Amino acid sequence: MDLSVKEKLEVFARYIGKHVWIENLQGLTQNNELVHQCGLLKGIKEDALLIAFSFGSRWMLLTGEHRDTYRYKLLLHPLSRLTEDIMATANNLPASGFISQYYIKLGFDMPVFIAPDHPGNCKTVAELGLADYRSPKEITELNYVDNDQGWQTSFSL
């Protein structure tokens, strides 16, 4: 499903503080930027995500040339990983409306509401193409898989 930049930002805003996978769609660049990086989502503005890396924070645009250069996905947990303890805690919250917020705070992939009559309503973030269930370690290991040019060995993050 193709979401607008505004709709994507609304989804990402729910998960501030969670890991984000940044995939460079151009491949390994001349300045040795890795194809697959992970950072923490720290904020949003009208056209960008603020992502914290080990070297500092950077605004990553979702518009213009960056739209075709990078892909962003939240690294979340599928609902199938909910444990009985987590569900019991959620069910003991003072209001039932807090349950989904609690699951989001823990990093679980939840169904979203975008706008009335929107075709993406009730889909999870992964179903919208904005999340992945792998860990940051699994994502960054993708930089070291065999490819046609040999092994990628850049370590800049």
Side-chain angles (χ1 to χ4, degrees):
M1 170 165 297
D2 196 26
L3 300 175
S4 70
V5 170
K6 181 181 181 235
E7 292 166 342
K8 288 178 184 178
L9 289 169
E10 287 174 1
V11 172
F12 276 99
R14 298 175 74 190
Y15 289 95
I16 290 178
K18 301 301 172 212
H19 280 101
V20 178
W21 168 17
I22 303 96
E23 181 180 9
N24 183 339
L25 301 173
Q26 306 300 316
L28 190 63
T29 62
Q30 292 176 348
N31 63 359
N32 290 330
E33 180 180 329
L34 293 172
V35 175
H36 305 282
Q37 299 182 62
C38 290
L40 289 176
L41 180 61
K42 291 296 192 177
I44 63 165
K45 62 180 184 177
E46 68 274 355
D47 63 349
L49 302 171
L50 179 61
I51 300 176
F53 299 97
S54 60
F55 58 82
S57 296
R58 181 173 160 195
W59 284 105
M60 304 290 290
L61 294 172
L62 274 68
T63 57
E65 67 186 56
H66 295 275
R67 185 187 72 227
D68 299 324
T69 304
Y70 297 100
R71 179 178 324 159
Y72 307 94
K73 290 191 177 188
L74 291 156
L75 299 180
L76 303 177
H77 309 295
L79 286 174
S80 62
R81 289 193 192 160
L82 280 174
T83 65
E84 288 186 24
D85 288 341
I86 293 172
M87 289 188 284
T89 301
N91 290 330
N92 286 324
L93 292 171
S96 62
F98 293 157
I99 293 173
S100 63
Q101 294 174 28
Y102 175 65
Y103 291 156
I104 288 169
K105 186 166 182 74
L106 294 176
F108 285 94
D109 186 9
M110 295 295 294
V112 299
F113 172 80
I114 298 170
D117 300 322
H118 192 283
N121 288 343
C122 300
K123 294 185 184 294
T124 64
V125 181
E127 289 172 328
L128 293 173
L130 298 177
D132 195 281
Y133 295 150
R134 289 177 276 187
S135 71
K137 182 181 179 197
E138 289 173 297
I139 296 300
T140 55
E141 285 175 348
L142 294 174
N143 287 309
Y144 310 103
V145 297
D146 195 18
N147 63 28
D148 293 338
Q149 289 84 32
W151 288 85
Q152 294 179 9
T153 57
S154 174
F155 292 98
S156 67
L157 237 185

